[in-house]
Amino acid sequence: MPDPRPTTAQGTPNVPTDAPTVAGRGRDVDRTGELGPFLRTMRARLTPTQVGLVSYGARRVPGLRREELAQLAGVSPTYYARLEQGLSAHASKQVQEALADALRLDADERTHLRHLAQPRPRDRRTPAKVEHVRAGTRQLAHAVTGAGVLVLDVRNDVLAWNPLGHALLAGHLDPSAPERTADRPNLISMLFCDAHTRELYRDWAAEARRAVASLRWIAGQFPDDRALAELVGHLSIASTEFARAWSTHRVHNCTTGTKLLHHPTVGDVDLQYTVLTVGDGTGHRLLTLYAAPGSSDQAAVTLLERELRR
């Protein structure tokens, strides 16, 4: 009778090393509910052929079986199953690295896994608080010319923007909106629920995928932020496109890139962006938007800024 255990491509059975089984105490349960779905989604995108395993029997779902992934990571199938089922949220650094290797995670996905798998005290989530931008951060944003600057909190609420930042991404909104807590624009909500913002992006689908991957990266860093959790819940109900993108568990630390705009005033323009994190522990970030020097895009941005000064 053939050996039913997963084997390597060379046909040699791999016997996983047992990891300590977590007893299931309350403090070990995955209270954010994110670790298990992330592991399942990453496992589902791999095939036995990709990782050098020989497949036995019909597969009802795509991807590797749990026991195959456990084998590759060198942990017991029972222990790995507990991680996916949310019955254990803590994994040692050694196990985290083994899982990341087995799942073939990239650098951002590895960091995200570490955020999800680190131990956390019970019931840390606190009521949503009103975010306030530091005066120095606001002054810095308004001192910049030739580039758009937006100050964002972890939810992507706009706490402040300079005139060009407002004109580039939200010219249809009241420039003073970030000063009023109830009226603060949210870049993610605008992207999925605001028709003007949809029309602003020449490749809306790519921008949406990137925005959701970035939001998931941030959510991994701030799992106890109630307002962030509420935003995800609201958008999952308000937008089927957001819900579908969120369910893919794509994660990316978006610090640089290009935004392809179809601006209502200056037409098509390609803008580079850089995200800078304020080093005060608030999670606030500066989103800067600028065009390549000497390009037609820079000429368009200069024209727009000149119009704002009239």
Side-chain angles (χ1 to χ4, degrees):
M1 177 179 294
D3 191 333
R5 294 173 293 178
T7 64
T8 64
Q10 290 72 34
T12 305
N14 283 333
V15 181
T17 302
D18 283 347
T21 300
V22 181
R25 292 168 293 181
R27 64 183 177 85
D28 292 321
V29 174
D30 177 13
R31 297 192 176 277
T32 67
E34 292 296 331
L35 177 60
F38 178 71
L39 292 173
R40 286 195 297 274
T41 303
M42 297 300 101
R43 174 170 60 85
R45 70 182 184 178
L46 294 175
T47 65
T49 302
Q50 286 177 299
V51 298
L53 294 177
V54 177
S55 178
Y56 289 100
R59 292 178 181 265
R60 292 174 295 182
V61 294
L64 296 179
R65 298 185 175 105
R66 279 180 182 167
E67 59 269 23
E68 290 171 334
L69 196 286
Q71 169 194 314
L72 292 170
V75 299
S76 74
T78 301
Y79 175 70
Y80 179 73
R82 293 181 66 85
L83 290 174
E84 278 203 2
Q85 293 166 354
L87 300 177
S88 176
H90 172 57
S92 68
K93 291 183 179 180
Q94 182 180 4
V95 170
Q96 292 173 30
E97 290 304 312
L99 290 174
D101 288 340
L103 291 167
R104 304 197 173 186
L105 304 184
D106 63 25
D108 287 346
E109 291 166 344
R110 283 174 177 268
T111 301
H112 186 63
L113 174 61
R114 288 194 291 269
H115 289 155
L116 298 182
Q118 64 185 4
R120 293 187 174 277
R122 184 172 182 163
D123 297 333
R124 286 182 54 185
R125 189 164 288 178
T126 56
K129 64 177 181 179
V130 177
E131 296 285 346
H132 297 284
V133 62
R134 290 177 179 269
T137 304
R138 185 193 305 274
Q139 291 167 7
L140 174 61
H142 282 273
V144 174
T145 59
V149 181
L150 296 87
V151 183
L152 310 174
D153 66 8
V154 297
R155 284 167 42 96
N156 285 285
D157 280 353
V158 180
L159 305 180
W161 48 27
N162 69 355
L164 187 55
H166 164 255
L168 285 170
L169 295 189
H172 61 295
L173 299 181
D174 183 350
S176 65
E179 300 171 12
R180 301 184 297 276
T181 303
D183 296 332
R184 281 176 179 166
N186 180 276
L187 293 190
I188 304 293
S189 293
M190 290 168 59
L191 189 60
F192 284 92
C193 303
D194 180 76
H196 293 281
T197 303
R198 267 185 183 265
E199 296 173 356
L200 180 65
Y201 291 97
R202 297 187 338 248
D203 189 350
W204 179 87
E207 185 69 23
R209 287 193 300 269
R210 178 168 56 193
V212 174
S214 176
L215 186 65
R216 189 171 279 285
W217 165 269
I218 296 170
Q221 292 182 297
F222 297 90
D224 304 313
D225 190 292
R226 185 179 295 275
L228 181 54
E230 290 173 352
L231 173 67
V232 172
H234 166 73
L235 288 176
S236 295
I237 296 172
S239 170
T240 56
E241 292 164 312
F242 175 88
R244 185 162 51 248
W246 187 256
S247 69
T248 66
H249 287 268
R250 290 192 182 97
V251 58
H252 184 50
N253 182 19
C254 299
T255 56
T256 61
T258 304
K259 292 183 182 291
L260 308 178
L261 305 185
H262 178 67
H263 195 274
T265 302
V266 295
D268 290 355
V269 58
D270 296 0
L271 296 179
Q272 306 302 309
Y273 73 83
T274 299
V275 178
L276 307 172
T277 301
V278 180
D280 58 2
T282 60
H284 293 176
R285 293 157 294 140
L286 276 72
L287 170 62
T288 61
L289 304 163
Y290 51 94
S295 65
S296 60
D297 300 308
Q298 185 183 48
V301 171
T302 300
L303 175 62
L304 180 61
E305 190 169 36
R306 187 179 301 127
E307 290 294 322
L308 296 174
R309 292 171 180 167
R310 290 185 177 181

